[in-house]
């Protein structure tokens, strides 16, 4: 295998991590050139969609860097980031991509060395994991595209946005959800939405029956059928004829 | 009864079809109604149904008008999501404590737009769609729900708060708490309905384990166009279209093992219906029904069953399957059953379990709170001659809660219970209702049109797609538009005030609201316009939500243009709107009841109790009808004693005038104002009355088969009853033959009562002579409902039931002085001979041949079987299409005593909605004739479905304003253009057409 030079993106918050990266520079600490830094004001700005989009465009690894807990310039943006990244990893895992390709680190403005070390370690790790494009590129990318759409679903975004409030502060009734309960709910929702996105993707090219879709997804047709009915109900998939005794469904391109 | 003052209000518990019917009748008869419903909305099980038997009418289409009428009736207070907590007080004056569960959405503020549900992030099990399609935590059960107020399901809600943020009407109220409310009512009606049997209990059928075994109510949702599959029959394992499906009857019915010994009375018909609809929806579908007895006992049911076999080729197998197993590879189901003593197996793609009717889950708790008795099956206990009364005075019952029954029987009982409940407090009629305020109307006829246009954003429902301000700007440019504005919610209370203000300020004389559908909101805006001093018909709506923004969500430009078009069309019509005056007419508050049997007497007495005069006309010398010949009721009650006491009540009542040996010479007039001539005991009487009740009963079929009349030992069931009661015979060996006449060529329908009657008399013989042998030769035993317990008892008592096929009916002969009956037993396929003492024939019930004349003089139709034909088979079982004319009892179709009583009471309730009014008011939208142009061709008379058009003395068409319902069929049929429909004149409609795609030409 020829030397693989991974492409790595790092999102760094303006106040801590970006300053930490600058300090590494001021201190002339050397680290591999694979990294491209994108400055954001707070790590809380990092949308799971960005990460999934980056991966699906051929970026091999993403670092999200923020202030240490308690240090956030915006009080709690980094804590939100932590929660969101957990679910982003969950989504990455669903695509078959190694979730280690996303890493969250806290790096303060005074931790230039920590920045350089993180960059080194992460580059090494990604080198070891190899290119994200190494095999079944198309498949991986379409998987990641599906995951990106899930991350963009309104119900997923609402819950990701509200997680800390629901678990730590209490909901509109003043009740707190346990982390376990919330995780269960969120996992279910991610599962459902992921399956639905996959169905839409699979049925995009040509009309398929529930049985054909479930065969491709290697899932019981009873479960797939329920999702297809739901998608039909929402106008995202439409009946497109009947083959033998199987109704065929096709993804609706232009929503009408 | 207590000395305390009675209350002119009634509590109706349960908002299904029964509760709605009771409420509407009571509210229309001058009583305040509290309609209590446990769930968030009314509609009950009927709202879940796709079609209804035997007419295959769409359930929602026929029910929706009742939903809307119940929801907006000024005398009905809907209390949903609420249960009874406590009952105190006396009949006539009960205090009921209610526990109102929080809805968490304000009923006053919620507009039902549904944005909250779209944004809600959680999905929950959807009870309405039987877990086949999820719903959100904030939801309504179905789109037509009444009240159209969303509810937060707290068990699913995670409290994220998004719905509150999205609701522009500020209707979300998370902090709503449990509330208690006390209400005072004179009487109570329990219309709790039923729950479905849970088929998981029948483990041998694998429900809940094999995905392709579904319950009949789940299948109903699969058939429904609004259901999870959009009306396509798909099997749950792989969502393929099944080729071959089986229905298994009596799942949770007629089954001692799961403690459900009774028959659920509706499953045979609904399964046949589901099979027919499934076949209509699915090409090449093979449907098969496994049954014990097919019980198609109701009006036109047998015909439906025959068509299922002959036209739809639905297979019927008489067998109760032992078990179902699944082929794990294909997920097909293999049914094991025994047919003709032979074990068989057959494979199906899908199996539907026809689940029975269970007592409502709430029954036990509620019976304890209210102090009413339940029967052994946990349904409300009633008596044969008092089918609507519970064990507690002042509390009545109707519908499936007293015994499993179908929709028409339920609706009839609902009206009947309303009659009983209101009779208790009839002195308080009109004391608690909302009186309409009369606001003087401004005369606008000489003014040019000045139109005000109010355009609704409906939160973001319209405003999120259509550029509303642009439409307002456009509206201002239209001719005669004097004012236009937009509102966040035009239907909100503050906007109503604003509309009234603007009408005055801007001197408007026509109002247009461009928002949602007139089907739900027109009455609200018409009321507002009225309050502003304008005639309510000077109002027009443009539907820019349901038919524009909601259906063009991704095309704001086109949607905005279309909204402008719709507003322009409304303006085109509004310019030509005229104030309409509704004709009114006084009412003669008395009833003519034709027929002095149990139905007629019950009806007459019912009217008298409501405070109205009744004229009871009986053609024979005596009151009592067929009941006079009945000696046994099968229960504790003695029919003759009950009859005697009823006759006494009727004869002694001052409000009832009886004509015996009477004949009706003529009936003229129309609702509220009939005039009849009666010949009674050679005297002619002329009476005036407001309504007519047909209670002429049915006759016994006189058999020509089975040697009837040729031997004194071959008798009918009625004759047997007489002989037994008078102790004239003591039979030791009896053969009863069922379906004599019925279900054949002469009488194609099932006569409903003969199976139960035969069993009743067979048990009577056994009581006389325990060693007697009684054989009942039958085709299907149709002891529906709790009558099944009777059948069980007969089997226990050793009465033998032998089935015969229709093509090999039993033979009756007399050989050397002895009776000989030969029957071919289909199971063993061999002839069996009997030598009984008596052969008893269970003969059909046939319509009175005089029905034809009566139907002509009343201008009401007969069914093809010769019985009277009601206005609607499902929802108007005792009304005729002609207003003010009603029917009850066996004149409708053969019936048991309790059913006749229910229908007779129902008639009283329905008629009271007319008799209790101060005056009758015609509809505004009706047809009017220009007699100068009318050529007298009578085409309009022919097409009018309500017999509302007659000829005047000059031979010109004349519309009876009180009978006209305003369909406009006569207008479209008139060759001379002599008829116009108010509010939909040719000029108005043509003007709308011309403005549809271009500017209004002034």
């Amino acid at each position: 295998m020829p030397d693989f030079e991974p492409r790595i993106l790092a999102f760094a918050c303006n106040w801590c991590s970006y300053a930490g990266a600058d300090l590494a520079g001021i201190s002339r600490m050397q680290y591999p050139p694979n990294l491209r830094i994108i400055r954001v004001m707070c790590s809380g700005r990092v949308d799971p969609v960005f990460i999934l989009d980056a991966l699906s465009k051929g970026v091999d690894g993403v670092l999200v860097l923020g202030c240490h807990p308690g240090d956030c310039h915006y009080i709690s943006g980094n804590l939100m980031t932590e929660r969101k990244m957990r679910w982003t990893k969950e989504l990455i895992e669903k695509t078959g991509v190694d979730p280690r390709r996303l890493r969250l680190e806290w790096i303060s403005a005074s931790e230039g060395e920590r920045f350089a070390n993180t960059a080194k370690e992460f580059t090494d790790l990604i080198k070891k994991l190899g290119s994200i494009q190494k095999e079944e590129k198309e498949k991986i990318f379409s998987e990641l595209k599906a995951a990106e759409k899930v991350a963009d679903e309104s119900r997923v975004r609402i819950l990701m946005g509200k997680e800390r409030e629901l678990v730590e502060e209490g909901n509109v009734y003043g009740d707190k959800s346990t982390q376990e309960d919330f995780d269960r709910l969120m996992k279910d929702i991610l599962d459902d939405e992921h399956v639905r996105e996959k169905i839409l993707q699979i049925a995009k090219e040509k009309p398929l029956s529930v049985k054909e879709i479930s065969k491709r997804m290697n899932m019981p047709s009873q479960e797939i059928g329920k999702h297809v009915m739901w998608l039909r109900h929402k106008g995202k998939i439409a009946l497109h004829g009947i083959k033998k005794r199987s109704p065929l469904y096709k993804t609706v391109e232009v929503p009408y | 009864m207590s000395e305390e003052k009675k209350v002119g209000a009634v509590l109706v518990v349960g908002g299904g079809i029964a509760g709605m019917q009771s409420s509407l009748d009571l509210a229309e008869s001058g009583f305040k109604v509290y309609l209590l419903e446990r769930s968030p909305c009314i509609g009950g099980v009927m709202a879940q149904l796709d079609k209804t038997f035997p007419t295959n009418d769409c359930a929602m289409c026929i029910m929706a008008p009742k939903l809307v009428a119940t929801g907006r009736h000024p005398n009905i207070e809907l209390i949903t999501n609420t249960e009874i907590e406590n009952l105190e007080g006396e009949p006539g004056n009960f205090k009921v404590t209610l526990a109102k569960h929080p809805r968490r959405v304000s009923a006053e503020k919620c507009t039902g737009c549904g944005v909250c549900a779209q944004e809600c992030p959680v999905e929950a099990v959807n009870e309405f769609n039987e877990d086949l399609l999820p719903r959100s935590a904030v939801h309504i059960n179905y789109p037509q729900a009444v009240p159209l107020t969303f509810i937060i399901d707290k068990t699913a809600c995670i409290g994220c708060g998004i719905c509150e943020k999205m609701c522009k009407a500020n209707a979300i109220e998370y902090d709503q708490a449990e509330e208690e409310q006390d209400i005072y009512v004179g009487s109570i009606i329990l219309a709790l309905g039923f729950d479905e049997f849970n088929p998981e209990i029948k483990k041998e059928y694998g429900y809940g384990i094999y995905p392709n075994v579904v319950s009949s109510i789940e299948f109903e949702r699969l058939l429904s166009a609004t259901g999870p599959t959009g009306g396509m029959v798909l099997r749950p394992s792989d969502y393929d279209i099944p080729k071959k499906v089986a229905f298994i009857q009596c799942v949770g019915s007629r089954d001692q093992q799961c403690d459900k010994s009774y028959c659920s009375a509706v499953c045979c018909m609904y399964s046949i219906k589901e099979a027919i609809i499934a076949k209509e929806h699915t090409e090449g579908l093979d449907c098969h029904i496994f049954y014990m007895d097919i019980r198609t006992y109701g009006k036109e049911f047998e015909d439906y069953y025959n068509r299922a076999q002959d036209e739809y080729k639905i297979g019927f197998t008489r067998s109760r399957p032992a078990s179902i197993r699944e082929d794990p590879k294909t997920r097909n189901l293999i049914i094991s059953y025994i047919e003709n003593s032979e074990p068989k197996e057959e494979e199906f793609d899908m199996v539907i379990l026809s689940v029975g009717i269970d007592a409502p889950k709430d029954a036990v708790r509620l019976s304890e709170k209210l102090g009413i008795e339940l029967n052994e099956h946990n349904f409300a206990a009633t008596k044969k001659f008092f089918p609507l009364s519970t064990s507690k005075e002042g509390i009545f019952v109707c519908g499936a809660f007293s015994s499993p029954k179908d929709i028409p029987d339920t609706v009839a009982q609902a009206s009947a219970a309303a009659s009983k409940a209101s009779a208790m407090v009839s002195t308080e009629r009109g004391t608690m209702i909302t009186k309409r305020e009369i606001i003087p109307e401004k005369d606008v006829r000489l003014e040019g049109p000045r139109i005000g246009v109010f355009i609704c954003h409906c939160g973001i429902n319209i405003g999120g797609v259509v550029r509303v301000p642009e439409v307002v700007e456009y509206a201002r440019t239209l001719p005669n538009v004097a004012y236009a504005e937009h509102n966040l919610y035009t239907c909100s209370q503050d906007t109503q005030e604003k509309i009234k203000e603007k009408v005055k300020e801007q001197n408007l004389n026509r109002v247009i609201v461009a928002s949602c559908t007139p089907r739900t909101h027109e009455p609200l805006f018409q009321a507002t316009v009225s309050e502003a001093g304008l005639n309510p018909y000077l109002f027009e709506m443009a539907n820019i939500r349901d038919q524009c923004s909601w259906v063009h969500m991704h095309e704001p430009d086109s949607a905005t243009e279309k909204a402008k078009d719709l507003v322009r069309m409304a303006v085109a019509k509004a310019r030509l709107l005229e104030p309409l005056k509704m004709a009114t007419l006084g009412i003669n508050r008395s009833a003519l009841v034709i027929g002095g049997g149990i139905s007629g007497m019950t009806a007459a007495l019912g009217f008298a109790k409501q405070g109205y005069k009744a004229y009871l006309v009986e053609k024979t010398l005596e009151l009592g009808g067929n009941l006079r010949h009945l000696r046994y009721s099968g229960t504790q009650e003695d029919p003759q004693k009950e009859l005697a006491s009823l006759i006494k009540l009727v004869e002694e009542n001052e409000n009832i005038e009886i004509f015996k040996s009477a004949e009706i010479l003529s009936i003229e007039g129309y609702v509220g104002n009939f005039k009849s001539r009666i010949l009674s005991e050679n005297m002619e009487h002329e009476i005036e009355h407001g309504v007519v009740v047909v209670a002429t009963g049915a006759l016994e079929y006189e058999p020509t088969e089975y040697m009837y009349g040729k031997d004194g030992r071959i008798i009918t069931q009625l004759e047997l009853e007489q002989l037994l009661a008078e102790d004239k015979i003591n039979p030791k060996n009896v053969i009863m033959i069922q379906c004599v006449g019925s279900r054949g060529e002469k009488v194609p329908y099932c006569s409903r009562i003969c199976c139960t009657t035969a069993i009743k008399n067979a048990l009577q013989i056994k009581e006389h002579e325990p060693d007697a042998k009684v054989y009942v030769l039958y085709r299907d035993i149709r002891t529906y409902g709790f009558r099944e317990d009777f059948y069980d008892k007969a089997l226990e008592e050793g009465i033998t039931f032998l089935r015969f096929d229709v093509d090999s009916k039993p033979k009756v002969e007399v050989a050397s002085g002895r009776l000989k009956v030969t029957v071919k037993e289909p199971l063993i396929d061999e002839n069996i001979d009997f030598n009984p003492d008596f052969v008893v024939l269970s003969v059909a019930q046939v319509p009175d041949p005089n029905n034809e004349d009566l139907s002509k003089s009343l201008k009401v139709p007969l069914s093809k079987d010769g019985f009277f034909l009601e206005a609607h088979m499902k929802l108007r079982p005792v009304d005729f299409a002609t207003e003010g004319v009603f029917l009850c009892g066996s004149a409708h179709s053969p019936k048991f005593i309790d059913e006749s009583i229910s229908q007779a009471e129902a008639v009283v309730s329905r008629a009271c909605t007319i008799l209790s009014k101060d005056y009758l008011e015609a509809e505004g939208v009706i047809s009017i004739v220009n007699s100068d142009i009318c050529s007298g061709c009578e085409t309009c008379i022919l097409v009018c479905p309500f017999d509302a058009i007659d000829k005047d003395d000059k031979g010109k068409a004349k519309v009876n304003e009180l009978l006209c319902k305003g369909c406009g069929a006569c207008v479209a049929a008139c060759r001379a253009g002599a008829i116009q429909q108010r509010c939909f004149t040719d000029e108005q409609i043509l003007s709308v057409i011309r403005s549809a795609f271009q500017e209004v030409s002034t």
Side-chain angles (χ1 to χ4, degrees), chain B residues 646-719:
Chain B
L646 180 61
I647 291 175
K648 189 160 178 275
L649 283 174
V650 169
E651 286 185 333
E652 284 174 0
N653 195 303
E654 286 175 356
N655 265 340
I656 302 175
E657 194 174 332
I658 305 167
F659 299 96
K660 291 182 190 167
S661 307
E663 181 190 345
I664 292 181
L665 299 174
S666 69
I667 300 180
E668 276 166 17
Y670 47 86
V671 58
N673 296 278
F674 288 102
K675 241 186 213 139
S676 301
R677 280 166 45 240
I678 297 162
L679 185 67
S680 166
E681 290 161 337
N682 296 324
M683 287 265 290
E684 200 181 310
H685 305 261
E686 193 174 288
I687 56 165
E688 291 182 2
H689 50 99
V691 295
V692 185
V693 179
V694 176
T696 50
L699 303 175
E700 217 178 33
Y701 165 73
E702 199 162 305
T704 52
E705 48 270 77
Y706 300 122
M707 290 186 66
Y708 179 76
K710 306 223 167 69
D711 189 301
R713 291 166 296 179
I714 303 170
I715 56 178
T716 67
Q717 291 286 359
L718 266 189
E719 288 164 344

Side-chain angles (χ1 to χ4, degrees), chain B residues 261-262 376-377 783 785-794:
Chain B
S261 60
Y262 56 88
E376 71 268 34
H377 305 297
T783 44
F786 299 139
R787 293 167 187 87
E788 182 74 8
D789 292 340
F790 240 32
Y791 181 27
D792 286 341
K793 191 175 172 209

Side-chain angles (χ1 to χ4, degrees), chain A residues 155 162 196 211 221 245-246, chain B residues 121 160 237 240-243:
Chain A
R155 59 194 296 229
K162 296 249 174 191
R196 287 169 188 170
K211 268 196 286 196
S221 40
R245 299 197 73 86
S246 302
Chain B
C160 70
S237 73
D240 263 1
I241 300 167
K243 280 194 281 289

Side-chain angles (χ1 to χ4, degrees), chain B residues 750-758 784 843 845 894-896 899:
Chain B
C750 162
S751 295
R752 186 169 182 132
I753 61 171
C754 336
C755 284
T756 311
T757 306
Y784 61 95
V843 299
Q845 299 283 306
K895 253 169 214 68
F896 286 101
E899 294 168 335

Side-chain angles (χ1 to χ4, degrees), chain B residues 832-888:
Chain B
I832 309 175
D833 291 341
F834 298 93
N835 292 106
D837 316 338
F838 288 93
V839 171
V840 184
L841 306 181
S842 296
V843 299
Q845 299 283 306
V846 292
D848 191 327
N850 295 325
N851 284 359
E852 206 150 317
D853 285 343
L854 190 55
S855 84
K856 275 183 195 142
S857 62
L858 285 170
K859 289 193 215 154
V860 295
L862 295 180
S863 72
K864 66 177 187 299
D865 296 329
F867 290 98
F868 283 95
L869 185 61
E870 61 272 34
H872 190 275
M873 282 252 180
K874 273 300 187 201
L875 296 187
R876 297 182 67 194
V878 300
D879 301 49
F880 280 113
T882 308
E883 226 180 314
V885 189
F886 303 91
L887 77 163
C888 59

Side-chain angles (χ1 to χ4, degrees), chain B residues 198-234:
Chain B
N198 174 7
E200 275 176 38
I201 297 167
K202 296 281 293 174
K203 294 228 176 333
E204 61 271 35
Y205 291 153
Y207 177 85
I209 301 163
Y210 309 140
N212 293 330
V213 177
V214 301
S215 80
S216 42
I217 192 84
E218 288 165 347
F219 196 65
E220 193 83 38
R221 293 310 301 154
L222 289 178
L223 292 173
S224 172
T226 60
T229 59
M232 203 181 231
V233 178
L234 301 177

